[in-house]
């Protein structure tokens, strides 16, 4: 089987607009949450989100072109540019256009474009719609704009499996390289849904935290007794995946090996995960088999860990089913406690964090874990409040999406 490695990283997150800023925030246990500034929350009972701050596209996209892109597309194009540059693929003559693919996970598309265009349509009694509504709204425009901006001409599908989109995009890119279709993939996820209509639509499902408006950094608290819902995040993470021999031949630096991917469906409920954790466990078992990794070899698991009453114990059950007694020996953390839940980008952001955890030898913390819900079934080592240094040879990340979609990715320290 063709081996696949990670040779470039790019990130735009609530913790920072680069990989370095994001990772330093993770290591410091810093919260990226705050009161919402992107819209007026006067009439909303949800006033906390994890926004991307001081946003500026100019390093990769000028302001004129950026105005033709939805926010989620801007995030994706910039994160992809960072990753391509990090991998040395922006140097003249290095990128092979037809031998490079783009796989982007996205849950909803240009939510703010949809909201604003509908507002103009109804306020004008159907007489006015912004001309770029559709090109900015549709989810595939992130992948399309990445291809146009960087001259990539290989396959460029968009993966929409709700909160599992980022993980599934990475996994399908892995398969694309293994199959020999291409040697390089730009893969990850992007999302931007912090708009009035977006927040209201999730709030009516009673999925969002609303009791921490006066102390926003405390609102995301996975595995804690006081958790009540997730906090909406936004951003993008892109990884350059490359066939091992191709990377070696061009002298690329290698962060880690992308060893395996597994996916499954709960077939249980449109929004809630199966509380038994069986579906997620099946995806984990498949990913470990694909990676050729025994359960006891996994040292770190980056949890989906949304901070909802249902998800956290269900995911804990999933880990016990997949890992048995080893679930109590490995370290598990939810970095959503710091980034919020970035929906379709979450799996990619957390995969990138796994790669950095391996390269830096650091177990990220779960912050705000002040009163662990052991009685509620959350009884593993969630690395409470402060990260821990330690060698990591193998890390996994899981994503559990609305509709019962489960995606798991596995990374290993590179061995020549």
């Amino acid at each position: 089987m063709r081996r696949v490695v990670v040779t470039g990283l790019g990130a735009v997150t609530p913790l920072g607009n680069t990989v370095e800023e994001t990772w330093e925030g993770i290591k410091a246990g810093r919260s990226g949450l705050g009161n919402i500034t992107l819209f007026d929350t006067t009439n909303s009972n949800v006033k906390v989100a994890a926004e991307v701050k001081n946003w500026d596209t100019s390093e990769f996209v000028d302001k004129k072109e950026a105005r033709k892109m939805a926010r989620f597309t801007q995030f994706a194009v910039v994160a992809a540019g960072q990753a391509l540059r990090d991998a040395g693929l922006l140097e003249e003559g290095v990128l092979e256009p037809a031998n490079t693919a783009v796989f982007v996970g996205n849950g909803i598309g240009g939510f703010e474009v949809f909201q604003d265009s509908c507002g103009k349509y109804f306020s004008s009694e159907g007489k006015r719609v912004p001309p770029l509504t559709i090109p900015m709204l549709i989810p595939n425009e992130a992948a399309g704009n990445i291809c146009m901006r960087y001259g990539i001409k290989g396959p460029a599908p968009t993966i929409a499996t709700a909160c599992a989109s980022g993980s599934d995009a990475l996994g399908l890119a892995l398969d694309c390289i293994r199959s020999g279709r291409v040697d390089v993939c730009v893969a990850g996820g992007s999302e931007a849904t912090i708009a009035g209509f977006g927040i209201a639509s999730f709030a009516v499902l009673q999925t969002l935290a609303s009791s921490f408006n006066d102390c926003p950094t405390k609102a995301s608290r996975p595995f804690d007794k006081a958790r009540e819902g997730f906090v909406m995040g936004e951003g993008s993470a892109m990884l350059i995946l490359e066939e091992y021999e191709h990377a070696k031949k061009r002298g690329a630096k290698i962060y880690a090996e992308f060893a395996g991917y597994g996916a499954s469906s709960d077939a249980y409920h449109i929004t809630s995960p199966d509380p038994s954790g069986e579906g997620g466990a099946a995806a984990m078992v498949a990913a470990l088999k694909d990676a050729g990794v025994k359960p006891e070899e996994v040292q770190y698991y980056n949890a989906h860990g949304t901070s909802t009453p249902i998800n956290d114990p269900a995911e804990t059950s999933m880990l016990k089913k997949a890992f048995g007694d080893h679930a109590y020996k490995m370290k598990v953390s939810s970095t959503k406690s710091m980034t919020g839940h970035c929906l379709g980008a979450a799996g990619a952001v957390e995969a990138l964090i796994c790669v950095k955890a391996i390269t830096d030898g650091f177990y990220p913390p779960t912050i705000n874990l002040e009163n662990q819900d052991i009685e509620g079934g959350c009884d593993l080592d969630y690395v409470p409040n402060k990260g821990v240094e330690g060698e990591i040879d193998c890390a996994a990340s899981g994503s559990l999406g609305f509709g019962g979609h489960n995606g798991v990715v596995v990374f290993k320290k590179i061995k020549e």
Side-chain angles (χ1 to χ4, degrees):
M1 185 182 297
R2 283 159 53 99
R3 296 173 69 190
V4 177
V5 294
V6 180
T7 59
L9 301 172
V12 174
T13 76
L15 290 172
N17 297 339
T18 65
V19 173
E20 292 75 18
E21 291 174 356
T22 297
W23 182 238
E24 285 305 312
I26 293 291
K27 292 182 73 174
R30 177 165 55 85
S31 174
L33 282 59
N35 289 119
I36 294 171
T37 66
L38 291 173
F39 68 92
D40 183 355
T41 62
T42 300
N43 296 321
S44 174
N45 68 329
V46 176
K47 302 181 186 296
V48 177
E51 298 178 349
V52 167
K53 300 149 186 84
N54 304 313
W55 180 233
D56 180 10
T57 66
S58 60
E59 186 175 9
F60 292 97
V61 184
D62 65 41
K63 291 183 179 180
K64 182 179 179 181
E65 289 302 311
R67 283 195 292 269
K68 300 176 184 177
M69 301 177 186
R71 189 171 170 89
F72 86 100
T73 297
Q74 294 176 11
F75 293 159
V77 172
V78 171
Q82 293 175 10
L84 287 163
R85 181 177 61 194
D86 185 38
L89 293 171
L90 289 186
E91 298 173 13
E92 187 174 354
V94 178
L95 181 73
E96 305 167 72
N99 193 31
T100 305
V102 176
F103 283 70
V104 178
N106 175 257
I108 300 178
F111 214 128
E112 84 283 5
V113 176
F114 175 76
Q115 171 186 281
D116 296 345
S117 294
C118 283
K120 290 173 182 175
Y121 174 81
F122 289 114
S123 65
S124 67
E125 297 181 343
K127 298 176 182 177
R128 183 167 172 243
V129 176
L132 293 180
T133 293
I134 294 302
M136 294 174 67
L137 167 67
I138 50 180
N140 67 299
E141 281 305 283
N145 274 281
I146 289 171
C147 290
M148 289 183 282
R149 178 67 185 83
Y150 303 111
I152 297 170
K153 298 185 177 181
T158 295
I159 314 303
T161 48
C163 308
S165 300
S167 293
D168 286 339
L170 288 166
L172 294 172
L174 172 70
D175 290 344
C176 186
I177 295 175
R178 282 177 170 174
S179 71
R181 292 182 183 277
V182 296
D183 288 324
V184 180
C185 282
V186 182
S190 190
E191 199 80 86
T193 56
I194 304 175
F197 184 57
I199 294 294
S201 298
F202 278 93
V204 76
L205 294 173
Q206 298 182 337
T207 60
L208 299 182
S210 60
S211 299
F212 296 88
N213 294 330
D214 294 331
C215 48
T217 60
K218 298 285 187 180
S220 182
R221 43 196 320 110
F223 311 109
D224 188 83
K225 283 186 177 180
R227 71 189 187 280
E228 62 168 1
F230 74 83
V231 174
M232 188 73 77
E234 64 176 359
S236 177
M238 293 292 166
L239 285 68
I240 303 302
L241 307 180
E242 192 165 352
E243 193 273 325
Y244 175 70
E245 295 297 338
H246 186 273
K248 291 287 289 182
K249 184 177 181 180
R250 70 180 189 88
K253 71 174 178 291
I254 295 175
Y255 285 100
E257 181 170 0
F258 187 3
Y261 164 66
S264 69
S265 298
D266 281 352
Y268 174 76
H269 191 271
I270 195 65
T271 58
S272 297
D274 184 343
S276 74
E278 289 183 4
M284 177 62 75
V285 170
L288 295 178
K289 181 179 179 181
D290 188 47
V293 169
K294 297 177 182 178
E296 58 270 23
E297 293 180 85
V298 178
Q299 295 153 296
Y300 173 61
Y301 173 72
N302 190 301
H304 189 57
T306 56
S307 185
T308 62
I310 296 175
N311 175 91
D312 297 0
E315 189 170 16
T316 300
S317 296
M318 158 196 159
L319 295 177
K320 293 174 184 177
K321 280 184 168 60
F323 288 99
D325 291 341
H326 182 65
Y328 290 95
K329 299 175 184 177
M330 67 183 186
K331 294 189 181 300
V332 177
S333 70
S334 173
T335 50
K336 286 185 177 70
S337 58
M338 295 171 274
T339 67
H341 188 358
C342 299
L343 303 186
V349 171
E350 289 148 20
L352 183 148
I353 290 169
C354 281
V355 171
K356 291 295 290 181
I358 290 172
T359 59
D360 278 22
F362 185 82
Y363 294 91
T366 303
I367 69 170
N368 298 324
L369 187 48
E370 298 165 351
N371 194 0
Q372 188 169 327
D373 189 14
I374 294 175
E375 295 84 356
C378 300
D379 59 350
L380 303 180
D381 179 358
Y382 302 113
V383 196
N385 302 309
K386 187 175 181 180
V388 178
E389 292 185 356
E391 187 172 350
I392 304 174
D393 292 318
C394 183
S397 177
S399 299
L400 318 176
F402 276 10
H405 300 284
N406 305 301
V408 176
V409 291
V410 179
F411 296 92
K412 297 193 299 187
K413 185 173 288 187
I414 186 65
K415 294 182 180 179
E416 300 296 340

